[in-house]
Amino acid sequence: MLETLRRIVQEVNEARDLDQALQIIVQSVKQVMKTDVCSVYLTDFSNHDRVLMATDGLNPKSVGRVRLKQNEGVTSVVCERAEPLNLEDAPSHPKYKYLPETEEEDFHAFLGVPIIHHRKTLGVLVVQQLQKRSFDDNEVTLLMTIAAQLAGAIAHAEASGGIDGLRQSSDKRLMHRDRPFRGLPGAPGVAKGLSRVLYPSADLDAVPNRHTENTEKEKLAFLNAVEATRKDINVLKLRVAQLPEEDRALFDAYLLILESDSLIKKTLSKIDTGLWASTALRDVVQEQVKVFAAMEDEYLSERSQDIKDLGRRILVHLQSKQDGVRSYEDNTVLVGDELAASDLVEVPPDKLVAVVCTQGSGSSHVAILARALGVPAVMGAQDLPTSKVDALNIIVDGYQGCIYINPSETVHKEYERLINEEAELSAGLETLKGKPAETPDGVRVPLYVNSGLLADISTSLESGAEGIGLYRTEFPFMIRDQFPGEDEQAQIYKQVLSTFAGKPVILRTLDVGGDKNLSYFPIKEDNPFLGWRGIRISLDHPDIFTTQLRAMLRASAGQDNLHILFPMITSIDEVKEAVNLVNRAREELLDEGKVDIHMPRIGAMIEVPSAVYEAESIAKRVDFLSIGTNDLVQYLLAVDRNNSQVADLYDCLHPAVIRAVLQVMQAASKQQIPVSVCGEMAGDPAAALLLLGMGLNSLSMSTIALPRIKWVIRSFTQQRAKELLEQALQLEGAKEIRHLLNREIDNAGLGGLLRPGK
Ligand code: PEP
Ligand code: MG
């Protein structure tokens, strides 16, 4: 049964459009459940009617015509209660509504289950039978399982419906689609551009729809890839020469397929229609795989795997010629399922205008990097069919977390207006640049920036930042293909320290693991956020750690602004060990005759619940604390910062987070050391108001957030912020707290600042 379910879900996911997806569902479910009828009703959310969208068993002409009002018919009971309804004789139910178009008068037994996706009832999956009978428990749970599995696929098909029609392959005439794809706000801002889909290599299913002007070049590339694959297979065949004839036959079969019209000619003729070689190959292989997989004969059906394998091998050769020379159009919107921070850095900064990712959330490192680069981002746009949206016009709204593919002139104009408004707001904020971040009652709250790239260092300085509150040293590690050496690191750090000479610069030691991986230092774990991460790796690898510490210290020679920060501290022992290694690295350098090296100020990140409870003991051993709310929220609330499914639960204004920050603040002031917030919470205007009330010594955020937060600091007295903090502590939920703070900001006439928040 599991296998059947898996097959249905896969077929539904591969369906061309919603109609085809629903047709596959009703036919397969009717067969699996052995019923006389299976139908799907979907809710039309514009008026809450339920529309019969597909049926196998009722009159097919009634599809699309039968509409039930919100509380009509037995399906309304299923929707209203959001639970299954099992009726021995549906016509005798008081809510039953006879629908003549369906010709369903003969059916008595009825079982309907809701199709629910993210708490929303999308519709009802119904099976019916001629005779009067009650469906047994097994049947009910089976239909519920099917509906639960299909809900995501239906939502996906519904959301992506119509994308295929946006481009007619040969003439590339474009049609418009004004329904946005929804995701999560990743980085604020709005941008228009041309989508560029990045996809994993050697994966045929991930190849996007892409077109070519030069079909001859593509055909040649394809034929060369086939030839290279043929050579590979011959080599493999020779390697297994000692095997019996029977086992070697597989390779002959491969060679035959490689010569067959079904693969070669079909691919070539698809390229002739204007398709890119990889896209044409993907389509032909997928068609062939389907044909073989559907064959009754087990031997023949197994051949589908051979075709897939061959397709992948040809693709690898095609890609080996394409990659390496990735060039990007002006106004590139980078789109992908799983983009890595390094993908963003690879696009020249003047060409990248926005980022869209179907996975992750606003707290993922890709989103953080987008904010650092000042480009809007939408994360977790789960329903966006990435393979179908390459090279299309796209508008990315990083405030709302939505994307428009090929929108009409009307939507364009609306966004044009928003972009202009945005420019006005920025111009208004620009005037604050030279002014201090000081409240009307005279409290100074220095604002620092978070950085990690050399490219954004001068922008950071120009933004009016008073220092670097968090330099994520892992970013330079991520964009290389081996560990950078001591000299190379020292040069990078020196540039950062000297650009901000006279101002504090906090260099955080390597924080890899979790969702930040180094291609040359792979870590495979089931639960990476609870695994080998941050300081744990550094302490386990004194070679890597000491090289980094030495590079930092050397870079600071002659300057007095270096601060070193340890990530992911969970115990006092880790602090002691790390501090010892800093001391040792400095002594080594002094012994080597490098004299002008001051002892840096040392800090610990508080981003794990255990560190909140240990904050006072930690504070005794360091010079400052920095609260990493991105991780603190995820560990305190048990919400994966990258999981768009639970992103609604991820909120830095959760009362538990506020209390934790307050507790750290109190521990630090007892030990008389400064404490800062360097997580994204600091750049959220509503949260910044609370942090002001708590008396944080400084805040560190992305350059893009800095002017807005300065506006907040300059607009509210600390006294008022303290009162608001008191009120917030009386409230029980993040929503109420946000409402309280947003209202205050709005009343102060700063409503425009709220866009980037939730
Ligand atoms: C944090 O966790 O809040 C933080 C600043 O570090 P990162 O986002 O790099 O994990
Ligand atoms: Mg962190």
Side-chain angles (χ1 to χ4, degrees):
M1 181 45 67
L2 261 183
E3 187 45 38
T4 315
L5 247 174
R6 205 188 50 75
R7 183 181 51 76
I8 304 175
V9 174
Q10 186 178 349
E11 282 181 18
V12 170
N13 278 331
E14 283 169 6
R16 193 182 52 242
D17 53 27
L18 181 64
D19 288 343
Q20 194 189 37
L22 296 180
Q23 203 49 41
I24 295 168
I25 292 173
V26 290
Q27 283 169 355
S28 325
V29 174
K30 184 181 153 200
Q31 209 177 16
V32 173
M33 298 276 301
K34 300 191 178 62
T35 53
D36 301 316
V37 175
C38 176
S39 315
V40 173
Y41 295 81
L42 290 188
T43 309
D44 175 349
F45 287 101
S46 65
N47 51 16
H48 292 276
D49 282 359
R50 259 175 328 284
V51 187
L52 176 67
M53 296 295 289
T55 184
D56 185 355
L58 299 181
N59 182 354
K61 291 203 181 116
S62 58
V63 168
R65 292 205 196 140
V66 166
R67 274 185 170 263
L68 289 156
K69 291 261 162 280
Q70 195 170 359
N71 55 1
E72 268 180 357
V74 282
T75 52
S76 73
V77 182
V78 181
C79 281
E80 197 181 297
R81 295 191 194 153
E83 59 184 35
L85 184 66
N86 185 358
L87 300 174
E88 197 178 326
D89 182 33
S92 58
H93 189 281
K95 279 271 186 178
Y96 180 79
K97 182 167 194 268
Y98 173 56
L99 303 161
E101 311 89 307
T102 61
E103 296 167 10
E104 67 172 351
E105 61 273 28
D106 295 333
F107 301 108
H108 291 276
F110 170 100
L111 173 61
V113 298
I115 303 167
I116 301 176
H117 184 60
H118 289 312
R119 296 193 181 191
K120 198 165 161 190
T121 306
L122 302 179
V124 185
L125 178 62
V126 173
V127 288
Q128 289 172 281
Q129 252 176 321
L130 287 170
Q131 82 264 38
K132 285 188 186 169
R133 74 164 186 108
S134 201
F135 289 89
D136 66 29
D137 265 6
N138 262 342
E139 291 170 308
V140 177
T141 49
L142 175 59
L143 196 64
M144 283 169 69
T145 314
I146 294 174
Q149 286 260 338
L150 290 173
I154 291 176
H156 185 80
E158 203 176 22
S160 60
I163 278 290
D164 278 321
L166 287 180
R167 172 177 28 213
Q168 282 120 41
S169 58
S170 49
D171 64 5
K172 303 207 195 81
R173 206 151 29 88
L174 298 175
M175 287 151 68
H176 302 299
R177 184 187 197 276
D178 278 348
R179 201 149 56 99
F181 287 93
R182 302 233 161 252
L184 303 162
V190 174
K192 298 188 300 183
L194 198 66
S195 53
R196 170 66 183 272
V197 174
L198 290 193
Y199 56 97
S201 54
D203 181 355
L204 262 179
D205 295 330
V207 170
N209 286 358
R210 201 167 277 177
H211 295 79
T212 180
E213 299 286 339
N214 191 343
T215 52
E216 287 314 311
K217 184 172 152 237
E218 290 299 300
K219 285 202 287 194
L220 188 64
F222 170 67
L223 289 172
N224 286 340
V226 171
E227 190 46 38
T229 311
R230 195 193 323 275
K231 282 189 186 141
D232 292 348
I233 304 290
N234 277 320
V235 171
L236 289 178
K237 203 175 143 189
L238 280 179
R239 271 198 214 149
V240 293
Q242 76 287 3
L243 291 182
E245 173 69 31
E246 212 174 288
D247 295 329
R248 277 183 289 138
L250 171 71
F251 297 101
D252 292 323
Y254 271 33
L255 291 171
L256 274 179
I257 299 174
L258 275 179
E259 278 155 18
S260 70
D261 283 357
S262 51
L263 187 69
I264 311 301
K265 267 205 180 150
K266 277 194 177 154
T267 308
L268 290 174
S269 57
K270 280 208 186 258
I271 298 177
D272 270 330
T273 68
L275 279 187
W276 195 44
S278 301
T279 311
L281 175 70
R282 176 202 71 188
D283 286 355
V284 172
V285 170
Q286 283 178 348
E287 281 162 20
Q288 299 283 311
V289 165
K290 261 198 194 137
V291 171
F292 276 92
M295 288 184 179
E296 292 289 320
D297 182 300
E298 203 181 318
Y299 175 81
L300 288 176
S301 138
E302 278 297 308
R303 301 286 63 80
S304 63
Q305 288 309 319
D306 300 346
I307 293 173
K308 238 186 197 169
D309 184 30
L310 262 184
R312 194 186 52 77
R313 285 171 183 277
I314 300 174
L315 181 71
V316 169
H317 282 294
L318 269 174
Q319 288 175 332
S320 70
K321 293 281 172 292
Q322 292 152 6
D323 287 353
V325 259
R326 272 196 201 161
S327 61
Y328 294 90
E329 305 270 345
D330 289 343
N331 299 330
T332 292
V333 174
L334 213 53
V335 179
D337 290 322
E338 260 183 280
L339 292 176
S342 52
D343 292 327
L344 267 63
V345 184
E346 209 185 290
V347 188
D350 55 330
K351 297 199 165 180
L352 181 69
V353 296
V355 175
V356 175
C357 202
T358 62
Q359 297 182 13
S361 72
S363 329
S364 307
H365 282 99
V366 170
I368 289 175
L369 190 54
R371 287 196 283 274
L373 294 168
V375 294
V378 171
M379 304 294 293
Q382 293 175 1
D383 293 326
L384 184 76
T386 44
S387 65
K388 296 179 180 173
V389 299
D390 190 56
L392 291 176
N393 286 322
I394 177 168
I395 289 180
V396 179
D397 181 340
Y399 296 124
Q400 309 282 339
C402 64
I403 311 130
Y404 291 83
I405 306 285
N406 225 31
S408 65
E409 197 50 33
T410 326
V411 173
H412 251 285
K413 284 220 172 96
E414 189 52 26
Y415 272 92
E416 205 73 63
R417 193 181 56 77
L418 201 65
I419 290 169
N420 290 339
E421 260 182 44
E422 173 79 6
E424 272 172 36
L425 178 65
S426 303
L429 295 173
E430 189 81 358
T431 58
L432 296 181
K433 224 184 227 175
K435 300 188 177 151
E438 185 173 320
T439 62
D441 51 353
V443 179
R444 290 269 287 126
V445 186
L447 299 185
Y448 301 147
V449 284
N450 294 346
S451 173
L453 300 168
L454 284 181
D456 66 359
I457 285 293
S458 36
T459 344
S460 302
L461 188 63
E462 284 157 21
S463 70
E466 296 180 58
I468 294 201
L470 171 68
Y471 186 85
R472 292 181 165 95
T473 57
E474 54 277 6
F475 286 159
F477 278 67
M478 282 159 84
I479 54 176
R480 285 173 170 71
D481 48 19
Q482 61 186 54
F483 282 109
E486 187 178 310
D487 288 348
E488 198 181 352
Q489 287 187 55
Q491 264 175 29
I492 300 172
Y493 306 147
K494 192 170 183 65
Q495 207 170 324
V496 183
L497 290 166
S498 49
T499 308
F500 275 80
K503 299 188 165 77
V505 171
I506 302 179
L507 299 182
R508 180 174 71 182
T509 60
L510 194 62
D511 184 20
V512 286
D515 66 342
K516 287 179 288 193
N517 276 314
L518 303 176
S519 56
Y520 48 90
F521 189 65
I523 303 169
K524 286 248 165 301
E525 291 174 321
D526 285 345
N527 215 339
F529 275 111
L530 298 184
W532 209 37
R533 238 204 109 173
I535 198 71
R536 299 172 183 178
I537 297 182
S538 295
L539 294 177
D540 287 350
H541 264 286
D543 48 343
I544 300 172
F545 194 37
T546 310
T547 305
Q548 183 171 43
L549 294 173
R550 284 175 55 98
M552 288 177 174
L553 293 167
R554 275 177 52 196
S556 77
Q559 315 225 36
D560 190 18
N561 57 345
L562 172 65
H563 296 56
I564 295 181
L565 178 63
F566 304 131
M568 280 293 291
I569 291 293
T570 54
S571 71
I572 310 295
D573 280 349
E574 287 169 343
V575 180
K576 285 191 204 161
E577 272 185 74
V579 172
N580 282 345
L581 285 167
V582 176
N583 287 329
R584 208 176 74 188
R586 182 163 171 265
E587 277 156 24
E588 269 174 31
L589 289 169
L590 294 177
D591 286 350
E592 287 166 23
K594 303 196 170 63
V595 283
D596 200 9
I597 294 176
H598 294 272
M599 185 60 196
R601 265 135 290 174
I602 291 184
M605 284 197 77
I606 305 292
E607 49 183 347
V608 175
S610 62
V612 173
Y613 291 108
E614 295 281 4
E616 208 179 321
S617 314
I618 296 175
K620 284 183 190 156
R621 290 170 172 84
V622 292
D623 305 308
F624 66 98
L625 296 181
S626 187
I627 309 178
T629 49
N630 304 339
D631 277 310
L632 187 58
V633 172
Q634 93 161 336
Y635 293 125
L636 214 47
L637 306 185
V639 179
D640 178 347
R641 62 193 272 185
N642 283 318
N643 186 342
S644 49
Q645 195 92 305
V646 287
D648 276 353
L649 301 175
Y650 185 102
D651 198 327
C652 64
L653 290 183
H654 189 292
V657 178
I658 297 173
R659 288 196 164 80
V661 175
L662 202 52
Q663 188 167 330
V664 176
M665 177 68 219
Q666 285 157 354
S669 50
K670 243 182 173 175
Q671 293 307 317
Q672 297 180 328
I673 61 164
V675 58
S676 153
V677 168
C678 66
E680 298 300 309
M681 182 179 191
D684 174 338
L689 199 44
L690 280 190
L691 299 174
L692 171 64
M694 290 185 204
L696 269 287
N697 302 89
S698 59
L699 301 176
S700 189
M701 63 209 68
S702 63
T703 357
I704 219 168
L706 195 135
R708 295 168 199 268
I709 301 304
K710 194 183 271 189
W711 202 330
V712 170
I713 302 284
R714 292 179 58 87
S715 305
F716 293 90
T717 59
Q718 190 178 49
Q719 187 47 39
R720 179 65 192 139
K722 279 184 179 162
E723 287 162 17
L724 287 166
L725 174 65
E726 282 311 312
Q727 289 175 33
L729 287 169
Q730 307 303 316
L731 300 174
E732 290 182 339
K735 274 206 186 87
E736 293 94 311
I737 298 175
R738 194 169 284 284
H739 181 72
L740 166 81
L741 300 165
N742 282 357
R743 202 181 46 205
E744 185 76 11
I745 293 176
D746 224 356
N747 288 344
L750 307 178
L753 300 186
L754 294 174
R755 268 197 216 132
K758 286 196 171 189

